[in-house]
Amino acid sequence: MSQLKIGSSQCLWTSICIVLFVLSMTRGAVSTNYGDALTKSLLYFEAQRSGKLPSNQRVTWRGDSALRDGSDAHVDLTGGYYDAGDNMKFGFPLAFFTTMLAWSNIEMATQLKAHQEQENALAALKWATDFLIKAHPEPNVLYGQVGDGNSDHECWMRPEDMTTPRPSFRIDAQHPGSDLAGETAAAMAAASIAFAPSDEAYAQILIGHAKELFEFAKAYPGIYQNSITNAGGFYASSGYEDELLWAAAWLHRATNDQIYLDYLTQASGTGGPRTAFSWDDKFVGAQVLVAKLALEGKVESNGKIAEYKSMAEQFICNCAQKGSNNVKKTPGGLLYFLPWNNLQYTTAASFVLSAYSKYLTDAKASIQCPNGALEASDLLDLARSQVDYILGSNPQNMSYMVGVGTNYPKKPHHRAASIVSITKDKTPVTCSEGFDAWFNNPAPNPNVLMGAVVGGPNDNDVYGDERTDYQHAEPAPATAAPFVGVLAAVA
């Protein structure tokens, strides 16, 4: 190269240089984008923190809040995470996103480490599990909600100023909730695997809780909103069979105990074909974990095991548009599941694709769909296409992750982000004053909710960026947690 003479070939050489430069810049921009998004996705969890903030808190516009949670029940229920854009702690979605954050830490540990984000990812996970440990003070007692959903939603307040009631709600032997207990068992078991390499003692504590919660869930069957009725209007569960399978699959992976595999193979069903994977429907997750065992040759791929694997791959085929009941896609290419916060389903499905791609690679296997074969690379490519869409490669040229790029949602539906930070103005913002001065204010949020993923566009790729539009503009940890793993996988 250095000996190339400038002369008649100069024009050609210049053209080649320009092409190479553009290609290198494009590659750099994309990889930097993924890494930058990964870093910011973990900052989002710091903005959602409840309780006494640690000294190494990086999101400095937040302050300590809800320091008396649990006092009505004489239990310490401080800490944990606020749900979405409100100041509630709803245990059911909280436990699900904890499980997904753990799964992200497990499958993408190498990539998180390579991007210097493993410590932050485990810190985000531990903020959740520390709270879940407190919420499970006895074998058959689990606190599943802090705050009254109705009064909370009638106020627009910073968490640091909250004056709304903070009642504690629990499930127990007399007031069961197999779905809530099962999902929390799954979260504890998955987290134990994530922490085992760095903190074996903590991992063992988590396994102890997971085992107790699984037994509690089985011994006292029931749907949790029948016991915590306040949760019914916000996060009603459609059943508990999926959470029990999901918990059994994680407990088996964490302990290798045969009893959990027996539970999976002796269950009445595998969930059948599913159309989404979410905080309410974990069948796909359980199916994928059992399929992993089959791909690794740890169990015979026949009977019930083969059925789990077949159902997992049916979901993947449908996402890849090679199935018999394909997932809808927007004109711009986004996997579109449901109108309310669609991106939570897209990120969860993309995580399944990313993880299953890894399992297929390790097993040197592929998937035979009704309309063609899928290789491991096809799954990761599809996941990457969804990441690209979410980060700005879409008809609106908008990143749906706050703080990534220059065109991103400026008015996400989020109380803390939309009101001036308490670090800048300590004057309390009252319940109704928050609506008048901040919720209905047309200006962008004063605090940038870095790394938050909003609900996303409609099925025609349209997004309005209106704080009042909570169906599309409200970010939730259940959307962000699986996205951590997907970003790590493609970064």
Side-chain angles (χ1 to χ4, degrees):
M1 283 279 196
S2 61
Q3 295 185 11
L4 188 74
K5 291 184 179 150
I6 298 197
S8 61
S9 60
Q10 184 173 25
C11 180
L12 174 64
W13 173 239
T14 305
S15 301
I16 291 169
C17 280
I18 290 169
V19 170
L20 289 173
F21 176 73
V22 170
L23 283 173
S24 69
M25 287 302 289
T26 305
R27 280 200 304 271
V30 171
S31 65
T32 304
N33 200 348
Y34 296 147
D36 178 54
L38 174 61
T39 297
K40 286 170 177 170
S41 71
L42 291 163
L43 283 171
Y44 164 69
F45 287 95
E46 295 196 14
Q48 292 298 111
R49 283 173 170 169
S50 179
K52 176 82 178 162
L53 300 181
S55 57
N56 62 352
Q57 170 84 4
R58 295 175 295 168
V59 178
T60 53
W61 53 265
R62 282 294 324 284
D64 299 342
S65 61
L67 299 180
R68 299 190 69 252
D69 278 4
S71 59
D72 62 317
H74 308 291
V75 179
D76 177 10
L77 295 176
T78 58
Y81 288 104
Y82 293 118
D83 172 74
D86 52 42
N87 297 328
M88 291 295 299
K89 291 197 286 209
F90 287 114
F92 194 45
L94 190 155
F96 171 71
F97 80 69
T98 302
T99 314
M100 295 308 295
L101 204 47
W103 203 357
S104 294
N105 271 287
I106 295 163
E107 300 301 359
M108 286 66 175
T110 305
Q111 294 96 321
L112 286 167
K113 199 176 288 183
H115 287 272
Q116 282 86 50
E117 290 298 343
Q118 189 180 40
E119 199 175 311
N120 290 323
L122 286 172
L125 178 59
K126 193 168 186 290
W127 197 263
T129 51
D130 282 352
F131 172 75
L132 293 177
I133 288 169
K134 293 178 183 180
H136 183 227
E138 300 169 45
N140 293 342
V141 172
L142 176 64
Y143 285 87
Q145 182 175 320
V146 183
D148 172 69
N150 297 314
S151 60
D152 176 272
H153 284 59
E154 285 168 8
C155 287
W156 196 261
M157 306 178 80
R158 297 183 293 211
E160 296 87 356
D161 288 334
M162 262 192 295
T163 56
T164 47
R166 302 291 290 172
S168 309
F169 298 93
R170 64 185 239 178
I171 54 170
D172 52 39
Q174 291 74 42
H175 313 89
S178 304
D179 32 23
L180 176 61
E183 181 56 66
T184 310
M188 300 288 218
S192 76
I193 303 169
F195 284 113
S198 59
D199 193 342
E200 180 61 33
Y202 189 64
Q204 287 304 313
I205 291 169
L206 292 169
I207 275 292
H209 284 281
K211 288 178 174 178
E212 285 185 354
L213 284 162
F214 185 61
E215 293 308 315
F216 172 35
K218 289 189 301 174
Y220 302 98
I223 294 179
Y224 92 106
Q225 69 261 24
N226 292 341
S227 299
I228 304 177
T229 55
N230 192 259
F234 304 95
Y235 289 98
S237 168
S238 56
Y240 55 77
E241 292 83 359
D242 53 331
E243 281 82 17
L244 293 179
L245 294 177
W246 178 232
W250 276 115
L251 276 158
H252 178 261
R253 187 164 174 183
T255 66
N256 211 28
D257 287 352
Q258 184 67 31
I259 55 166
Y260 302 114
L261 187 60
D262 290 345
Y263 185 87
L264 290 161
T265 56
Q266 292 163 17
S268 58
T270 62
R274 311 310 295 178
T275 55
F277 175 40
S278 72
W279 60 265
D280 182 39
D281 190 337
K282 290 56 175 255
F283 279 117
V284 169
Q287 292 163 355
V288 165
L289 290 175
V290 177
K292 178 180 186 286
L293 292 173
L295 286 166
E296 291 169 340
K298 290 183 177 175
V299 293
E300 289 290 324
S301 188
N302 54 29
K304 194 65 70 73
I305 298 291
E307 192 183 320
Y308 279 109
K309 183 171 181 285
S310 171
M311 291 304 109
E313 294 183 350
Q314 201 166 308
F315 177 76
I316 290 166
C317 290
N318 288 335
C319 287
Q321 312 297 295
K322 290 192 175 183
S324 51
N325 183 28
N326 291 336
V327 175
K328 178 178 175 177
K329 269 189 160 181
T330 67
L334 178 69
L335 289 172
Y336 194 85
F337 296 87
L338 288 162
W340 196 295
N341 187 6
N342 173 66
L343 289 186
Q344 68 179 311
Y345 308 105
T346 308
T347 60
S350 298
F351 182 91
V352 165
L353 293 164
S354 305
Y356 214 82
S357 171
K358 184 183 172 193
Y359 305 159
L360 290 176
T361 300
D362 292 346
K364 298 181 174 57
S366 58
I367 298 175
Q368 300 306 314
C369 296
N371 294 302
L374 285 172
E375 303 296 330
S377 58
D378 297 325
L379 273 58
L380 198 59
D381 287 346
L382 177 54
R384 186 180 285 108
S385 75
Q386 298 305 294
V387 172
D388 289 345
Y389 183 106
I390 291 169
L391 297 184
S393 295
N394 57 59
Q396 300 247 135
N397 293 315
M398 172 178 254
S399 165
Y400 294 108
M401 178 182 269
V402 176
V404 170
T406 53
N407 185 25
Y408 55 82
K410 304 296 196 294
K411 294 184 272 187
H413 178 96
H414 191 276
R415 285 159 176 75
S418 70
I419 303 173
V420 64
S421 168
I422 197 160
T423 62
K424 291 195 171 163
D425 186 348
K426 291 187 165 39
T427 311
V429 177
T430 63
C431 172
S432 58
E433 186 187 354
F435 281 109
D436 298 338
W438 299 103
F439 178 73
N440 295 314
N441 190 329
N445 289 352
N447 309 302
V448 178
L449 190 62
M450 200 68 76
V453 180
V454 294
N458 67 16
D459 56 355
N460 283 314
D461 302 297
V462 174
Y463 182 80
D465 194 18
E466 291 299 330
R467 194 179 295 117
T468 52
D469 181 11
Y470 45 82
Q471 192 167 336
H472 298 101
E474 187 169 12
T479 312
F483 205 45
V484 170
V486 184
L487 287 168
V490 300

